[in-house]
Amino acid sequence: MSTDTPETAAHPRDTPDTGPPWPGPAARPEPRPVRFWSVPHLSGPDLDPVLAERPREDPVGPIELPRGAGHAWLITRHEDAALVTGDAHPGRRPRTGHDDTRTPPHFVPLDAALGPADPPAPERLRRPLAEAFSAPALARGGERARRIMDDLVDAMLRAGGPADLTERINGPLASAVVGGITGVPAHDRPLTDRWTGILLTATHRAPRDRARAGIDAYFTGVLARRRTKGDDLVAVLARAVEADELTSEEAVAAAVLVQISATHAVTAHGATLLHALLTHPGHMARLRAEPGLLPGAVEELLCLVPYRERVRLARIAAEDVTVRGVRIRAGEAVYVPYPTDDGAPDPGPHHLIGPVLARLGSTAMGACLLDRLPRLRLAVPPDAPRPRRGGLLRGPEALPVLW
């Protein structure tokens, strides 16, 4: 099924007399039609129309996504997301033997990592990460990002324009920011970047499986021989393994998850910020004149625009739960879209690493470009940049600029 199919297109399940049975009169007086959601590729900071409409029209409604089988519930209001994600009932661990409706062609789970795990495991897995993502560590990461940005702009100026900001600035900054936090040395980053890029963009399973095996083996080796001194992620995880707080498998899975999700967040949100500024020169001029507004602009984009092209991993209800009068039965899949739970205060029981580093990278990038390139502008018409297609990243494929 094409992911470009309009969300409102006719669909065989858009009738109340087909599909699985829905909750009875206690929850809804009539069976509810399943709505097909194509999750289209979006240009720039646009919000998916379904996510714009659903909070008003049907905040807890049944949907079918382009791949997989069956139906899922889409929850689009923050207060409802808090009920689901903050409760121990709906878990996130992928099910074996089920092909739940989804957007990606396939899913490569990080079985031992903190993302899909159900309580109480997440707290045990997250505690060692608090040190690596402490306020002092993030402050040092912000200073490092600003130095890196100056070096990247210097190199771009020497090479001359036009230049693609996604290639010359956004990608290298994401690699350096994430590598500095995780502890991946500069000489290894091209390798981890390649594996990460495949896992975020490949649409076929074979290259993703090879990339997953490669990045797993890399972090297994690094953690096995790494000294435990330092405050980067690998050092913190190595200490946790040495203290029997984590198994080696859990530490590797956590390192891989942070590497992938953080690179994902910094790259995609940075591209969204750049595209928004370059296609709204009036806003860019105001931010240049009032630089103190930049952190707020970064935060607003993070609240309104998901840095991922897809909805999050499905949660599977472990028992019946009622949300806004709708009975979600045990075993049914639940999706909470990213604008609902990434931008607003975290409705779940943990602090999301991706948005933290997305803020850090985007703020450093925006501040440097606004300060050093007063005539920065697109080298193509505003509607020319094409959105990425396939994989999980959203944002423009390229942003050619002059200055």
Side-chain angles (χ1 to χ4, degrees):
M1 185 179 296
S2 170
T3 56
D4 292 328
T5 304
E7 193 276 337
T8 55
H11 191 267
R13 302 183 96 182
D14 283 343
T15 57
D17 59 347
T18 61
W22 296 105
R28 289 282 180 177
E30 297 292 339
R32 308 184 64 205
V34 182
R35 187 131 181 231
F36 176 69
W37 181 19
S38 66
V39 194
H41 295 284
L42 302 174
S43 178
D46 297 335
L47 184 64
D48 190 302
V50 172
L51 300 185
E53 296 166 3
R54 274 299 179 97
R56 298 187 303 271
E57 296 180 357
D58 196 9
V60 184
I63 59 163
E64 181 180 345
L65 294 166
R67 297 178 177 87
H71 70 276
W73 293 97
L74 179 65
I75 296 178
T76 53
R77 289 190 180 177
H78 175 73
E79 59 270 27
D80 302 329
L83 174 65
V84 172
T85 61
D87 195 288
H89 299 325
R92 285 185 59 190
R93 189 171 297 282
R95 296 188 290 182
T96 58
H98 288 77
D99 187 24
D100 295 311
T101 189
R102 65 190 187 281
T103 48
H106 42 78
F107 172 60
V108 181
L110 302 174
D111 296 325
L114 68 162
D118 293 325
E123 294 309 313
R124 179 175 61 83
L125 289 168
R126 291 186 186 102
R127 278 195 297 269
L129 301 184
E131 183 181 349
F133 290 90
S134 65
L138 292 174
R140 289 190 293 274
E143 294 171 0
R144 184 167 53 246
R146 288 188 287 273
R147 293 194 300 270
I148 293 164
M149 271 302 304
D150 277 327
D151 292 341
L152 292 172
V153 170
D154 286 344
M156 187 174 73
L157 293 177
R158 287 193 298 270
D164 175 11
L165 284 185
T166 63
E167 178 184 357
R168 300 302 300 269
I169 299 292
N170 194 42
L173 178 66
S175 175
V177 166
V178 175
I181 290 288
T182 59
V184 174
H187 61 267
D188 285 344
R189 290 173 195 167
L191 192 59
T192 55
D193 290 346
R194 181 170 64 84
W195 286 322
T196 301
I198 292 171
L199 289 167
L200 291 175
T201 61
T203 57
H204 297 287
R205 190 177 190 99
R208 285 179 60 107
D209 286 348
R210 289 193 295 269
R212 174 65 196 277
I215 201 168
D216 278 359
Y218 173 80
F219 278 108
T220 297
V222 167
L223 282 163
R225 61 179 179 269
R226 177 64 184 268
R227 294 168 62 97
T228 56
K229 294 181 179 179
D231 60 359
D232 58 71
L233 178 65
V234 168
V236 169
L237 291 174
R239 287 198 295 272
V241 172
E242 190 175 69
D244 290 328
E245 296 174 0
L246 294 178
T247 67
S248 296
E249 293 77 13
E250 287 170 336
V252 169
V256 172
L257 181 67
V258 171
Q259 169 69 32
I260 296 170
S261 62
T263 302
H264 185 178
V266 178
T267 303
H269 192 259
T272 296
L273 175 69
L274 290 173
H275 189 270
L277 292 178
L278 290 166
T279 54
H280 296 80
H283 294 329
M284 185 160 60
R286 185 179 178 191
L287 288 175
R288 185 174 285 114
E290 301 178 69
L293 297 177
L294 179 62
V298 168
E299 189 67 26
E300 187 164 346
L301 274 178
L302 191 62
C303 288
L304 296 177
V305 182
Y307 60 77
R308 301 190 180 189
E309 186 68 78
R310 312 302 190 194
V311 289
R312 65 157 55 244
L313 301 178
R315 292 176 179 268
I316 307 301
E319 57 186 66
D320 290 4
V321 60
T322 300
V323 182
R324 203 171 288 274
V326 176
R327 176 73 60 82
I328 298 174
R329 298 189 182 280
E332 292 184 327
V334 178
Y335 281 102
V336 178
Y338 283 96
T340 302
D341 65 358
D342 271 8
D346 181 15
H350 63 281
H351 193 55
L352 296 174
I353 292 170
V356 170
L357 294 186
R359 291 182 186 97
L360 185 154
S362 293
T363 302
M365 181 172 60
C368 183
L369 292 176
L370 289 170
D371 178 54
R372 296 195 55 186
L373 302 175
R375 299 183 61 202
L376 184 67
R377 62 197 185 277
L378 278 174
V380 295
D383 59 353
R386 298 185 302 175
R388 295 176 185 266
R389 294 184 178 273
L392 298 175
L393 288 176
R394 67 169 288 154
E397 288 182 346
L399 281 173
V401 295
L402 294 167
W403 52 90

